[in-house]
Every structure is written in structure tokens, then in C-alpha cells.
Amino acid sequence: MSMTARGRLLAAIFSATLGGALVAGPAAAETLADAIALAYQNNPTILAQRATQRALDENYVQARSGWRPTLSLSGSATWQENRTPLAAIQRDVLGRPVEPTIVNGNGAGAGLTFSQPLWTGGRVAAQVSAAQADILAGRENLRRLEAQILGQVVQSYADVRRDQAALAIREENVKVLTRQLEESQARFDVGEVTRTDVAQSQARLAQARALFQQSQAQLAISRATYAQVVGQNPGDLAPEPSLAYMMPADPDQAFAIADQNNPQLRAQQFTEQASRARVAGARAERLPNVSAQSSLRFNSARDEPYERDLYDREFTATVNVTVPLFSGGLVSSRIRQAVERNNTDRLTTEIVRRSVLQSITGAWSQLIAARANIASSEEQVRAARIAAEGTRQEQQVGLRTTIDVLNAEQELRQAELNQVTARRDEYVAAATVLTQMGRLEAKNLTPSVPQYDPTRNFRKLRMTWGWVPWEEPIGIVDHFLTPWPAPTPDAKPAEAPISPGLQPPPAVPVQGAPR
């Protein structure tokens, strides 16, 4: 982590004081769309996953290289000297000693070898299909991670606004209880109340101050989480915009959309297709393999290896056919293993589908409960505010005690906190439903922000260095001339962007202002 990023996080943790939390920073309020756009473009987790996807795209190129030729160049140079040692000196037939011998020799050679696969029995075709399915699964995993991060942005944004509102309520509670204590002390001085009333006010004020400090700490935690996800400290956050334009009409519609668009489910379906292609690849190991090879070599074993005219030239062209006959059960074992792995992926697809439906059910239930809680909390706040005001007025005429006023104030603050929490829970539950449906995406939230296209890098790799024009017909032959062709995965259709994107909530007209 850079010093700048670390400084931002530390600032988020230690700057949530009363002044920093309640005083507005920038002139224009920061919107949820701003936070989502910033996280979508700069969040390191998203950027790392995009890099992982680009690395995964290379598997396609590596798989297709099985249809492409290879060309290699080899060369050698040799120098040799043989000496007869003195101990090995013998005498000739006349008894004369033989002189020591020194024999020198050198040679050189160079060769060029070209090899081209002609038919692999479907092995390479299966590898290419598996690589394509893995890449499609990786794109869905990228969608899932982006939705997860954007969901964290929504939650952290709502958490900061909730905790800012809660801190304001706690601060107001401290002010009210401070005035209540002053009033109780004044009335005690003139003999209207007892020391017990003053002690009750003091206890409630001490409790309110402790809760205020807890709210400060909670706000600091929420601000740090926001900075960690978004990349900067939250400023003056605008109210959350409506998500209603993306919400389904009922849970059945949510189930139907999730079954077609949930990234986790789609990724698992592509994973099953990849394992199915690997089953075909394992079966292709039983089939022959045909390749062509040619080589051109120049050799010289004479005393002058650097003389061009003294080299021998050798050219060879070969067609190799390799037929597996017996592997000791290895191929059969690999086939059975690939089949069972495909069975696992197929069953896991159903597991993921049920998990997605369960998550939507839970999130939808939380959404309905939160909406009902909002209505109840609004009524609770209204009634608690009337009760608190009435209790205070009744105390002034002697019909209520100090503890009654304190209890009424406490109920009012708790009702206000419940209202703030209910609104936050409703918004986060709606975002969770959209996440499970596969709709919490930047194209739906911030359509004006440039969208990352994971297919762009893949299209560049389609005809990159190493591509040869004859690999296409070889691939077609390899795919169809096999009794166990691997299925070719196709990208699933993507849901069209849903307009208009996140819009700021309508401004509440000021009383007396022209409409």
C-alpha cells in the first residue's frame, strides 16, 4: 500500500470527530454515483481481477498453438585432438621406438527443422474448447466480483449516512439532556424537586455522552470502510438515489432474471462446459496423432569446417503417425476421472442455482420487512415526538416527574435511530436483491462512465504473433474428424443496460419558495 493510500485510510479512522463529522466539507455533495464510478475505475481488487482475466485469455492462445507449426534451428561446432602418451609408445617390428602421435580434427553442422501437426484426434480441439469455457467463466467471475465491490460501496455509503444521522441524534440528545439537567438543578435550588431528580438527569446525561462517543467510533469505522472500498474519505454525502428502476415486480420475476443473469450461476455453467470438453480431450488420447516434419541440415567433418563448398546438405521430409495401443490403463483412468469431475461440476451447477434462489428469497424478505419497518418507525417517531412534548408540558404543571420526561426523550431518540436504521436496511436489502439478480453493474448504475470490456483483450489475441493461416482448416478437421467432438461454448447473451442510471433524489421544495 502506498503512503498516500495509507494516509487516506488513517485519516478516515482518526478524522471522525464531532467537527469533522458534522461540518460539511466540499460545496457540492458527493453522490452515490460518484462513489461507484470511483470504485469501478480505481478499486485495486477490481483491477487485479481484470489483470487475472487478461492472463486467463492467454490460455486460448496456448491451446491453439497445438495446431501451429514449430520451427527450430540447431548448430554445432567440434574440435578434436588425440595425443599418444609416452607410456603408450611401442616399438615397430625392427625394434625402433614409435614416435608420439598428435591427431587433430574438427567439424561443424547446422540444421533447420519444421514440424506441423496435421491431426491430433481432437486433443487440441478439446483443449481450445476448454480454454474458451474457462475464459467465459472468468468473465462471469469478474462480473461477480465487480458486483460484490459495488455492493460494498452501496453498503458503506449507506452506513456512513446512517452513522452520521445517528451521531447527529446522539448530539441532539446530549444537548436536550444538558438542558434538562440545568432545569432540574434550577428547580432543585428552589425546592421544587429532590436530589433524586437531579441524579436521574445526571445519570441520563452521562449515558448520553457515552453513547455519543460510541457513535463517533462507529462513524470512524464506517468512514474507514468507505475509504478502503472507494479510495477516498467520504465528504458531505447526498441522500441515496432510488433503485426502483431496476427492481423486479415480485420475487418470481427476480428468480427468473437471476436464473439467466446471475454471474455466479453462469460461471458455474461455463465451468461445467469446460470439464465436459476435457472429457472429450481425455477420450481423444485413444486416437492416432498425425504430424509432418521436414529438416534441412548441413554437415562437415573435414579439416576445414568453415569452407562453404565442403559442407554436405541433407534434406528430410517425414509424415509421422502415432497410434496408441496399450498404456497400462492410464488413458482409461484419465477418462473416468474426467467424467466424474464433469459430474461434480454438473451437480455443483444445481447447488449454485439453489443457493442463488435462497439468497434472493432472504434478501427479498429482508426488503419487505425493512419497508414495513420504515412505515412503523415513521409512525413511532411521530407518536414519540408528540409524547415527549406532552410529557414535558405536563411536567411543568406537576402531572409528570423528571423520570417521565427522561424516559419520553429516550423513547424519542430510540425511535429516530430505528427510523434511520430501517431506511439503511431497506436500501442495502434492495442492493442485495439486485446483486443476486446480476443487475448491480456499472452499466446500470453509472452508464456515463466508460465501461471495461473484457472481450477487447481477447479479440486482440485472436490473431497475434504465431498465427498461421492454415491453422483454421486444421482446427476444423481436428474438431469434426473425431468420434468424441468437444462442445464449443458460446457466450450467453447479456442483459441490456437499464436506464436511466442512478439519479439524485428530487429536491424537497422549501416552504414559501416559488415552484
Side-chain angles (χ1 to χ4, degrees):
M1 180 183 294
S2 64
M3 295 299 296
T4 304
R6 185 181 293 109
R8 287 198 299 263
L9 291 178
L10 293 176
I13 296 175
F14 295 110
S15 65
T17 59
L18 176 60
L22 300 180
V23 177
E30 181 180 348
T31 65
L32 179 59
D34 297 334
I36 288 177
L38 188 60
Y40 181 75
Q41 294 176 332
N42 301 313
N43 184 276
T45 304
I46 293 179
L47 298 180
Q49 188 65 26
R50 291 172 182 171
T52 300
Q53 181 61 31
R54 291 192 294 270
L56 186 62
D57 291 342
E58 299 293 340
N59 288 349
Y60 179 77
V61 180
Q62 296 170 15
R64 291 187 68 91
S65 65
W67 291 326
R68 297 173 180 176
T70 58
L71 184 65
S72 61
L73 177 66
S74 61
S76 64
T78 305
W79 183 81
Q80 182 180 6
E81 180 183 84
N82 294 329
R83 291 177 176 267
T84 304
L86 294 177
I89 295 178
Q90 301 177 355
R91 297 179 178 271
D92 58 13
V93 294
L94 299 178
R96 293 174 297 183
V98 178
E99 296 293 331
T101 59
I102 300 177
V103 180
N104 294 327
N106 48 38
L112 189 66
T113 303
F114 176 86
S115 179
Q116 171 64 59
L118 300 178
W119 183 58
T120 68
R123 296 174 179 83
V124 176
Q127 294 173 3
V128 172
S129 296
Q132 287 178 301
D134 288 338
I135 290 170
L136 293 174
R139 293 176 187 173
E140 297 300 329
N141 288 327
L142 176 60
R143 285 185 59 222
R144 177 185 58 82
L145 187 134
E146 288 179 348
Q148 178 182 346
I149 296 299
L150 298 186
Q152 293 177 5
V153 173
V154 172
Q155 180 174 344
S156 61
Y157 190 97
D159 287 347
V160 171
R161 280 188 45 81
R162 176 201 61 191
D163 296 337
Q164 287 176 340
L167 185 62
I169 293 172
R170 294 299 187 189
E171 183 195 22
E172 180 64 23
N173 192 37
V174 170
K175 293 179 180 179
V176 171
L177 293 180
T178 299
R179 292 195 299 267
Q180 179 64 34
L181 176 59
E182 294 173 352
E183 181 180 345
S184 298
Q185 185 64 47
R187 296 182 65 187
F188 172 74
D189 293 339
V190 297
E192 294 184 6
V193 297
T194 64
R195 171 62 65 180
T196 302
D197 297 282
V198 177
Q200 290 173 341
S201 299
Q202 291 174 338
R204 289 296 176 88
L205 178 59
Q207 181 186 24
R209 288 172 175 167
L211 294 175
F212 175 76
Q213 293 174 351
Q214 292 179 8
S215 296
Q216 283 184 313
Q218 181 59 47
L219 178 57
I221 295 173
S222 298
R223 287 171 59 87
T225 303
Y226 181 96
Q228 185 266 334
V229 177
V230 177
Q232 69 180 22
N233 291 331
D236 183 16
L237 302 184
E240 298 89 342
S242 175
L243 299 175
Y245 70 99
M246 292 186 294
M247 294 297 296
D250 51 55
D252 292 336
Q253 185 180 2
F255 294 152
I257 296 174
D259 190 60
Q260 299 295 325
N261 201 42
N262 180 273
Q264 184 179 3
L265 179 57
R266 288 163 61 119
Q268 182 57 39
Q269 291 171 344
F270 285 126
T271 300
E272 189 274 333
Q273 293 183 22
S275 65
R276 200 188 319 163
R278 291 185 173 95
V279 172
R283 288 172 174 167
E285 295 295 329
R286 292 175 170 173
L287 299 178
N289 192 3
V290 182
S291 64
Q293 181 176 340
S294 63
S295 62
L296 178 64
R297 185 166 185 83
F298 296 89
N299 298 301
S300 174
R302 296 172 174 83
D303 293 337
E304 299 294 338
Y306 305 111
E307 292 291 336
R308 183 177 58 182
D309 297 336
L310 298 181
Y311 275 84
D312 298 330
R313 185 178 67 178
E314 178 184 357
F315 178 78
T316 306
T318 308
V319 175
N320 298 316
V321 179
T322 304
V323 181
L325 297 178
F326 181 70
S327 62
L330 177 62
V331 174
S332 298
S333 176
R334 287 176 176 174
I335 293 174
R336 293 193 299 269
Q337 184 182 55
V339 169
E340 294 305 328
R341 286 175 175 172
N342 179 249
N343 291 335
T344 301
D345 291 334
R346 179 172 50 82
L347 295 173
T348 303
T349 302
E350 182 61 25
I351 294 174
V352 173
R353 177 179 285 106
R354 296 184 182 186
S355 176
V356 169
L357 296 182
Q358 184 271 337
S359 299
I360 290 181
T361 301
W364 187 272
S365 300
Q366 292 178 355
L367 177 62
I368 298 302
R371 287 175 176 175
N373 196 17
I374 289 176
S376 300
S377 61
E378 289 177 351
E379 178 63 22
Q380 183 184 6
V381 170
R382 186 193 65 82
R385 186 172 289 113
I386 295 175
E389 181 63 26
T391 302
R392 182 171 296 278
Q393 293 177 0
E394 292 173 359
Q395 182 200 27
Q396 295 176 357
V397 296
L399 298 179
R400 296 284 185 173
T401 63
T402 300
I403 192 62
D404 294 331
V405 175
L406 296 175
N407 289 338
E409 288 291 340
Q410 184 177 12
E411 292 176 359
L412 173 60
R413 304 308 169 197
Q414 188 59 49
E416 293 173 343
L417 291 173
N418 292 341
Q419 183 183 41
V420 170
T421 302
R423 290 175 178 172
R424 176 265 179 197
D425 293 343
E426 188 271 342
Y427 201 81
V428 173
T432 303
V433 172
L434 294 175
T435 300
Q436 294 300 325
M437 291 170 56
R439 283 186 171 179
L440 197 70
E441 298 182 286
K443 67 178 183 180
N444 297 329
L445 300 173
T446 55
S448 60
V449 176
Q451 307 295 309
Y452 178 78
D453 183 10
T455 65
R456 182 179 180 181
N457 180 72
F458 180 79
R459 291 194 300 268
K460 292 192 304 182
L461 297 177
R462 183 63 178 84
M463 292 185 180
T464 184
W465 169 253
W467 178 87
V468 291
W470 58 85
E471 75 176 70
E472 302 296 337
I474 291 178
I476 294 175
V477 172
D478 195 43
H479 180 78
F480 288 103
L481 291 185
T482 176
W484 306 288
T488 302
D490 295 324
K492 296 180 180 295
E495 188 179 30
I498 303 175
S499 58
L502 293 178
Q503 300 293 324
V508 178
V510 180
Q511 295 183 359
R515 295 181 180 273

